[in-house]
Amino acid sequence: MSRPFPVNPLFMGNFAPVMAECDAPELIVAEGELPADLRGTLYRNGPNPMFPPLGTKHHWFLGEGMVHAIRVEDGKASYRNRWVHTSQYETQRNAGRRLIGTAFGEPAAPGGEGVRQNVANTNVVWHGGKLLALDEGSPPVAMDGDSLETTGSWTFEGKYAGPMTAHPKFDPRTGEMHFFGYMAAGPASPDISYQVVDASGRLTRSEMFKAPYASMVHDFIVTDEHVIFPIFPATIDVERIMKGGPVIAWDPDAGTRIGIMARNASVDTMRWFEGDPCYVYHPMNAFTLHEGGRTKIVADVMKYARVPLFPNTDGTKARIGLEDTPSMLVRWTFDLDDNSNSYTEEPLTDLGGEFPRFDERFAGQVYNQGFYAANLRPLTPGNPFDTLVHLDLTTGNRRVYEPGEGKYVMEPVFVPRSAAAPEGDGWLTTLVYDRSRNLSDFVVLDTDDISKGPIARVELPTRVPFGFHGNWRNMA
């Protein structure tokens, strides 16, 4: 019999897992109306631990993944959720108890030896006719886009079985998917793989290179001409681990190193830029500029002064919340015709936040509209973000949506009003947790002015726990 979940902030409130998989074929539209032209599915993924931890330690990043889907069609909405059936999930479900640890470096319990850890809990994307559940240490897990039934680990027809970032990039012109994997040569290795997959899902390129040091490389950046690999000092050091130190730790002495290569060049041509220690979980977008006879790369990123959620090298801990070191949206500019290997930085707004998104029809290209989650009210424990922001990157003007006291937003996902709509013209979709009802809502905002509040609010039959990322799939 499984033990109860311990008293821990990460098992309380809307961090607590939901234990039921359910289907709700017709949801209540509690406010407004769903736009007739909004047709598709919002998928979200996040950690949803199926059993209590093995010991006293637990990291938010290591709960088993659960995918949530809100399907919208003809002014109606439906809901479905399913755990991602990885080998880790199946082994534990058959045993009826936790076998794989939820703390970094924790050994498996008897019965879990040899089971590859794969939580598949960080993102969920649609590509090549497959819904792919992703974490950053494993191959993707394929699911059916309608039923959410798991079809199995996907290795691109046996051509790549290594780790895959949870943040692949999609070229809106070619339909290609670009991705990488860190520790690609094994645990604590500095090796990084780089892959390109065509629009049909076929692997067309796979290379490997060594980063300056081994670290947690959560995301990367792709423009229409270049690929950027940021290496931040959240290091993974074998010697430290062997002495009982943290697996991942903030190590500012390592500095920041950012590798840049042309998309049509080999990884052997990688050029490394150097910067002050910092951390970026998520960039917003980037583009390549040719002006005055010079080539520059402009990258907009959510920058932290240090990596949150992980300890220092001596094991002293940061607190749980991202509020300890709030990230700020900044613009980095790399002059590829300058031999200094440094880059410039400028702030884009004075309101920090996380989960930056944009109109992905402009991925890798010059763009002007961005969206992210932020805090305007006083922070309360266990409640990350209370506001969505729509920022004009050219003028600095911003509009915000605040759902109200006791309500908390998740990552915004933009949906264009039509394929030909101007940049940023469409709807912003998100999930909002209502603490007073202990339930979540699907909310649709019009980007003409998100401050006017929802044009539609749809009540879900359950909570959707605070998680990480999601994406919209248009209905064919």
Side-chain angles (χ1 to χ4, degrees), residues 349-360:
T349 183
D350 61 358
L351 178 60
E354 248 297 357
F355 300 125
R357 299 299 295 257
F358 64 103
D359 183 339
E360 294 185 11

Side-chain angles (χ1 to χ4, degrees), residues 362-374:
F362 293 80
Q365 305 167 52
V366 175
Y367 76 117
N368 296 301
Q369 306 297 312
F371 311 92
Y372 61 96

Side-chain angles (χ1 to χ4, degrees), residues 267-335:
V267 294
D268 295 337
T269 66
M270 190 84 63
R271 177 179 172 186
W272 291 98
F273 290 76
E274 299 182 8
D276 293 333
C278 65
Y279 198 83
V280 172
Y281 274 114
H282 305 116
M284 182 175 276
N285 193 20
F287 50 90
T288 301
L289 282 179
H290 299 281
E291 55 183 18
R294 305 182 78 87
T295 299
K296 297 181 179 180
I297 294 173
V298 177
D300 300 336
V301 304
M302 282 289 187
K303 174 192 170 185
Y304 292 91
R306 59 148 287 156
V307 63
L309 304 173
F310 288 93
N312 301 311
T313 55
D314 62 3
T316 54
K317 300 184 183 301
R319 287 173 50 204
I320 290 172
L322 297 174
E323 65 270 16
D324 297 315
T325 54
S327 63
M328 302 300 296
L329 185 63
V330 300
R331 172 161 288 182
W332 288 342
T333 302
F334 303 83
D335 188 337

Side-chain angles (χ1 to χ4, degrees), residues 67-121:
V67 171
H68 307 258
I70 298 93
R71 182 183 175 99
V72 179
E73 183 179 11
D74 300 328
K76 297 181 180 180
S78 61
Y79 169 83
R80 174 170 290 159
N81 69 328
R82 294 291 187 274
W83 263 293
V84 186
H85 285 219
T86 64
S87 57
Q88 172 176 330
Y89 173 92
E90 295 286 2
T91 302
Q92 293 184 143
R93 181 59 69 203
N94 291 335
R97 59 189 173 88
R98 176 158 297 287
L99 300 173
I100 310 301
T102 59
F104 285 97
E106 186 174 40
E113 307 92 335
V115 177
R116 180 168 182 171
Q117 186 178 57
N118 182 2
V119 289
N121 68 4

Side-chain angles (χ1 to χ4, degrees), residues 69 74 126 224 283 305 386:
D74 300 328
W126 178 263
D224 55 3
D386 58 39

